[in-house]
Amino acid sequence: QVQLVESGGGLVQAGASLRLSCAASGRIFSSSAMGWFRQAPGKEREFVAAISRSGGNTYHADSVKGRFTISRDNAKNTVYLQMNSLKPEDTAVYYCAADLAFNSGTYGTMIHEYDYWGQGTQVTVSS
């Protein structure tokens, strides 16, 4: 079983930056594709970014492309989401997710493709 713990959220002004971290337990982290999702109040959870096992392949949603960057450090069992030029519409609870089923070099963008989820961290961007 994989346990995920997010951190790094907070309240910032528009245009600021934040870096979210997701620490994973267990030795299987390096075998897991990882994803970040977010859920704003009253809205469905949506995909933000994903990264393959080695970190060699990444994918970002159009809404965050060019502003957010997903990365990982397998030696530290941690995945990151660097968020720059934050906008009020980025306000949401951000969740990291992991799954072992993806082949090397691949990742998922759908909620149902991930088996393990963190508890979430709140990001609030004021205008």
Side-chain angles (χ1 to χ4, degrees):
Q1 190 168 351
V2 178
Q3 290 185 324
L4 305 173
V5 179
E6 301 98 333
S7 61
L11 171 63
V12 297
Q13 291 187 331
S17 298
L18 280 175
R19 187 176 80 157
L20 304 183
S21 299
C22 174
S25 64
R27 299 180 179 180
I28 59 175
F29 177 77
S30 60
S31 299
S32 303
M34 302 294 296
W36 282 99
F37 292 76
R38 66 185 181 186
Q39 188 166 16
K43 296 187 177 181
E44 294 185 351
R45 192 170 299 190
E46 64 176 5
F47 170 78
V48 175
I51 189 165
S52 60
R53 294 178 189 176
S54 67
N57 292 328
T58 62
Y59 183 74
H60 298 79
D62 287 344
S63 59
V64 305
K65 199 168 293 183
R67 300 187 299 122
F68 292 11
T69 302
I70 189 171
S71 63
R72 67 190 296 163
D73 185 339
N74 286 347
K76 295 183 178 180
N77 281 9
T78 302
V79 63
Y80 304 99
L81 185 67
Q82 177 66 44
M83 306 187 296
N84 299 328
S85 302
L86 282 160
K87 304 175 181 180
E89 50 263 45
D90 294 319
T91 295
V93 177
Y94 283 72
Y95 300 90
C96 70
D99 200 85
L100 295 166
F102 296 108
N103 294 324
S104 178
T106 66
Y107 44 75
T109 62
M110 307 295 288
I111 292 171
H112 72 267
E113 294 179 297
Y114 289 87
D115 286 337
Y116 303 100
W117 292 82
Q119 83 290 346
T121 185
Q122 176 71 46
V123 172
T124 303
V125 185
S126 63
S127 57

